Amino acid sequence: MTAPEIPPPHRHLTFNDPLSEEHAARLIRTLGPLAGKRVADLGCGWAELLLRTLESEPAATGTGVDLDERAIAHARARAEARGLADRVELVAGDVGAWSGGPVDVLINLGASHVWGGDPEEHTGNALSAAAGLLEPGGRLLFGEGFWQRPPTAAEMAAMPEDLPRGQYRSMAGLVDFAMSHGFRLLALSEASQGEWDEFENGHALRFEEAILADPGSPGAAELRARADALREVRLRGFRGLLGLAYLTLVRT
């Protein structure tokens, strides 16, 4: 039984994170003067934020790495269309095997898992890896989940069984944890509910489009079940509870 093909996320989303264009521009400004700097985005998806960072400074160069070959192919096409292909290398591969550091700026947004290991240790693994890939004084733009308040028992029950319950901290706990890995905090913001809704709507629409394209196919029922499960998690679990913090950090 074959389910209908799900369109890629970039069909409906500018960024593969809950992030508006205005918010993205503010994050880029926190990275400081970028002339002559090397920027790496690890777990970059289709690398939209990396491309915009390079557009902001013609003398900067960049590298993006992600396992998703389709996303990297889209990123390469976008880089070519925007005249950035000679300043950016886009690699379909394992971040854990990348050894292109040290760099001046490192970006890792909502992708602390790319270094692997125990899910409950993803945040620490990512911060340790980032510290080792940055030049002294280099900046890390780190996006990670946090609990906006302690989850209730009902909310936890609505979440996926494989969710690493111990991965997320409070916002203050996350900042303290980052500083314990050899960083100082330069800037802090979080995804708004509007940004979250835009992000979740884009992902949900991919499933609904696939179902509508071939509602009678044998695999459509399975796809509907997946879409329904994601909606339940969103509405009865994560919404208004799981935040995404954007930390701009400097390696001390």
Side-chain angles (χ1 to χ4, degrees):
M1 184 182 344
T2 303
E5 183 178 0
I6 304 171
H10 59 251
R11 179 162 177 168
H12 299 295
L13 295 171
T14 302
F15 305 98
N16 196 22
D17 296 285
L19 185 63
S20 66
E21 299 207 16
E22 188 274 336
H23 196 169
R26 285 191 282 117
L27 293 180
I28 291 169
R29 289 196 293 271
T30 69
L31 300 178
L34 293 170
K37 302 294 188 183
R38 293 184 61 216
V39 183
D41 189 340
L42 303 183
C44 67
W46 57 92
E48 181 62 28
L49 188 65
L50 174 62
L51 298 183
R52 291 185 183 222
T53 300
L54 298 182
E55 285 176 326
S56 76
E57 175 47 69
T61 58
T63 301
V65 184
D66 199 281
L67 274 178
D68 188 337
E69 294 184 1
R70 185 163 62 166
I72 289 295
H74 182 64
R76 288 172 179 158
R78 296 290 291 157
E80 185 70 36
R82 290 151 77 168
L84 297 170
D86 62 335
R87 290 199 286 128
V88 65
E89 179 186 18
L90 296 159
V91 180
D94 180 6
V95 166
W98 185 73
S99 56
V103 295
D104 303 294
V105 174
L106 185 63
I107 300 171
N108 178 248
L109 297 186
S112 59
H113 61 275
V114 296
W115 281 279
D118 184 335
E120 296 201 359
E121 297 177 359
H122 282 167
T123 306
N125 290 344
L127 290 166
S128 295
L133 290 168
L134 280 167
E135 296 277 9
R139 297 194 181 192
L140 168 64
L141 178 56
F142 188 57
E144 183 62 297
F146 71 98
W147 295 126
Q148 295 175 319
R149 56 174 172 75
T152 66
E155 288 165 335
M156 291 304 289
M159 294 180 194
E161 291 184 3
D162 61 352
L163 177 77
R165 265 52 175 177
Q167 178 179 356
Y168 302 124
R169 299 162 172 79
S170 67
M171 172 78 85
L174 175 60
V175 172
D176 290 345
F177 192 59
M179 293 179 66
S180 75
H181 283 73
F183 292 98
R184 298 288 296 176
L185 180 68
L186 297 181
L188 172 66
S189 60
E190 65 180 277
S192 69
Q193 189 59 64
E195 289 172 316
W196 267 116
D197 285 341
E198 185 75 12
F199 175 70
E200 296 289 357
N201 288 342
H203 278 285
L205 188 54
R206 300 164 56 216
F207 284 87
E208 299 304 329
E209 283 184 337
I211 294 166
L212 291 170
D214 194 0
S217 72
E222 177 188 345
L223 206 55
R224 276 192 289 271
R226 289 177 61 192
D228 291 347
L230 289 172
R231 185 182 65 251
E232 286 296 299
V233 169
R234 173 187 180 185
L235 296 178
R236 291 179 170 82
F238 290 147
R239 193 172 196 275
L241 173 63
L242 181 66
L244 188 73
Y246 296 103
L247 282 61
T248 301
L249 304 161
V250 59
R251 181 189 167 200
T252 56

